[in-house]
Amino acid sequence: MVANVSTTFARQERAAFCDLALEVGPDAPTRCGEWNVKELVIHLLVRERSPLGAPGMLISPLSGLTDRAMAGLAHEPFKKLVKRLRRPSPLLLLPGADALVNSVEFFVHHEDLRRARTDWTPREIGAGASSLLWQATRVLGPGLVRPAGVPVRLVRAGTGATATLRRGDDPVVVTGVPSELVLMLYNRPTEGLVYDGPADRVDALRAADLGI
């Protein structure tokens, strides 16, 4: 069941990302740093399809390989790049691989496009997808909050479920829906999160460069 939900969600977010990318155009801004839409599309293609370029996204000494791989796609037509991105890489054809790798990735980057628009509004996330995103906070969160250097506990709004991401006394407690908690962990602007705990630790978490 979880695998089916995650596979469906990954595909839906990929398709929605591509549709919105074409709608807003290659030069539109995003919430992913200084990248425009075309640069974000290229990032996703390199991440998914370039065995040489992708490691540099995680390993700083190899970042030059990533830069070269992205530069190699920069002059290709935007619509051609989006068309290529619509289909998962052949590297992800193993059962469950696309869902495992891309459910959170495409959700976050879809929101990067949505929330860069002046007319954006929060959207409803289905129960299955919300549970998937909550699970992602529990699995990925400990590594993503490490830069803050403070104890952190998440509370899922409406259910009271908790996830301790970094142990310690007097943690920062962040309460919200799973979709917004995921965006917080990836250092994106959020809506509706409530932060409790020592003021200096709350400030440290909110100011930290979270994410990968």
Side-chain angles (χ1 to χ4, degrees), residues 152-193:
V152 178
R153 185 168 75 244
L154 305 184
V155 178
R156 183 176 178 178
T159 71
T162 65
T164 297
L165 304 187
R166 187 179 175 94
R167 297 186 180 280
D169 295 332
D170 298 321
V172 178
V173 179
V174 188
T175 303
V177 296
S179 54
E180 297 298 325
L181 292 170
V182 166
L183 292 170
M184 181 270 290
L185 293 173
Y186 279 86
N187 207 33
R188 301 308 201 270
T190 59
E191 292 284 321
L193 295 184

